Amino acid sequence: MAEQYRKNGVETSADLMMPLPLAEGQIADTDELTTEVYDNKARALYPNFPQRANVTVIPIIPGITLYSYIRFFHAVPDLGPVDIYVNGKRVARNLDYRNFTEYMKAFPGYYRVAVFPAGNKTNPIFVNYMNLIGYRIYTGVIEGTSGDASLEMINDNRRYLPKDKAYVRFAQMSANAPALDVYLDDSLVISDLNNKEVSRYMAIRPGSHNIKLRDYLSGAVLMEDPDMTVQGGKAYTVYIVGDIYDRTGLQVIIPLEGTTYLQF
């Protein structure tokens, strides 16, 4: 039946990288972290759609079917590449530090996320849980240190983006950085930004900007990016990552946010 939907140009759950959600009571079951779990409750929610074996086929109809988007970001500098399993299904392979996955469609509900060293299926680095809400755009950040990593969920708010402004926010994902003051073009725009904190979006002019990160207490400059270039009508998050004790220090990763181009 999934093939029939494809012939008609309709995307279905069978086409998605992300698995179906679990029932709330299933997420704590960690016996099979790398074997995909099939949820009979999810099937029961869609009794009119065809199901066979372990496949539930749910057509994704814009404006009718409830779904979200999620991507994952590796922000732990002392952790090697990782594989990510969601409800036992591998959704990311060999994801390196400072890299993102693509955005993936997912149905609202509960998910179990297990992160392993790349190529391994035993002794996960961590296991976390997430509850996705429909019509949201998420980034799941793998943050912390190699000995204490976890998943931090960031919601990319949908918004109207006028063409004469760019929208920028800051997310502090460096585990050992002090509280930070953020300067944009030598003006203080955020004070006392701590680990795992995400600022609100601010509207700025399109073009090139200078970013400085200063220690909140001492005022010492910990990082400077003299050429952050942004475009009008687009939204960005400046992810602050890195190890202040490493020679590379703090760094910023500035991806285009999904609210700019994803459609529901």
Side-chain angles (χ1 to χ4, degrees):
M1 184 60 70
E3 290 77 10
Q4 185 61 47
Y5 283 123
R6 290 192 192 100
K7 289 179 181 178
N8 294 330
V10 177
E11 187 178 28
T12 76
S13 56
D15 301 309
L16 302 187
M17 175 65 74
M18 286 286 289
L20 288 172
L22 299 175
E24 184 175 2
Q26 291 180 286
I27 61 173
D29 182 5
T30 58
D31 291 338
E32 297 290 347
L33 292 175
T34 59
T35 301
E36 187 170 357
V37 178
Y38 300 99
D39 179 21
N40 289 323
K41 181 177 180 180
R43 297 180 184 190
L45 294 175
Y46 303 95
N48 296 324
F49 296 124
Q51 301 155 11
R52 60 180 177 78
N54 287 328
V55 178
T56 302
V57 179
I58 304 169
I60 300 173
I61 303 170
I64 297 177
T65 308
L66 197 63
Y67 61 92
S68 295
Y69 289 95
I70 184 168
R71 66 179 175 184
F72 294 95
F73 174 41
H74 185 339
V76 183
D78 61 343
L79 185 65
V82 299
D83 293 343
I84 302 174
Y85 288 79
V86 178
N87 297 352
K89 182 179 181 180
R90 188 172 63 193
V91 300
R93 180 178 183 179
N94 208 36
L95 183 66
D96 281 317
Y97 170 54
R98 303 201 310 173
N99 285 358
F100 290 81
T101 67
E102 297 294 327
Y103 280 105
M104 298 171 280
K105 289 179 182 176
F107 291 99
Y110 294 94
Y111 295 87
R112 183 180 65 238
V113 181
V115 176
F116 291 84
N120 289 274
K121 290 187 176 183
T122 58
N123 300 320
I125 298 165
F126 66 84
V127 180
N128 277 175
Y129 312 100
M130 60 186 185
N131 181 16
L132 303 186
I133 299 172
Y135 293 148
R136 299 281 180 90
I137 302 171
Y138 296 94
T139 297
V141 182
I142 301 168
E143 63 84 36
T145 65
S146 59
D148 186 24
S150 62
L151 188 70
E152 186 74 14
M153 298 296 292
I154 296 178
N155 183 18
D156 182 6
N157 297 316
R158 299 168 64 199
R159 61 184 57 243
Y160 171 66
L161 300 170
K163 299 299 182 183
D164 62 339
K165 298 290 184 181
Y167 289 80
V168 176
R169 65 179 175 176
F170 292 80
Q172 208 293 68
M173 294 295 144
S174 171
N176 63 6
L180 298 172
D181 282 349
V182 179
Y183 284 78
L184 190 66
D185 300 328
D186 293 321
S187 295
L188 178 65
V189 293
I190 301 168
S191 183
D192 194 15
L193 185 68
N194 289 282
N195 180 231
K196 300 183 184 180
E197 288 187 342
V198 182
S199 75
R200 294 181 179 180
Y201 282 104
M202 62 189 75
I204 63 176
R205 62 169 175 78
S208 178
H209 298 267
N210 177 281
I211 298 173
K212 285 190 182 76
L213 303 178
R214 294 180 179 269
D215 186 314
Y216 169 69
L217 293 178
S218 72
V221 176
L222 301 180
M223 195 228 71
E224 181 175 7
D225 182 346
D227 186 22
M228 178 189 74
T229 302
V230 294
Q231 299 179 29
K234 296 184 178 181
Y236 305 83
T237 296
V238 179
Y239 287 93
I240 301 166
V241 300
D243 180 348
I244 61 169
Y245 301 114
D246 185 78
R247 62 182 179 83
T248 57
L250 296 182
Q251 304 132 50
V252 290
I253 311 296
I254 311 175
L256 188 65
E257 290 300 314
T259 190
T260 303
Y261 59 89
L262 295 175
Q263 301 293 324
F264 287 94

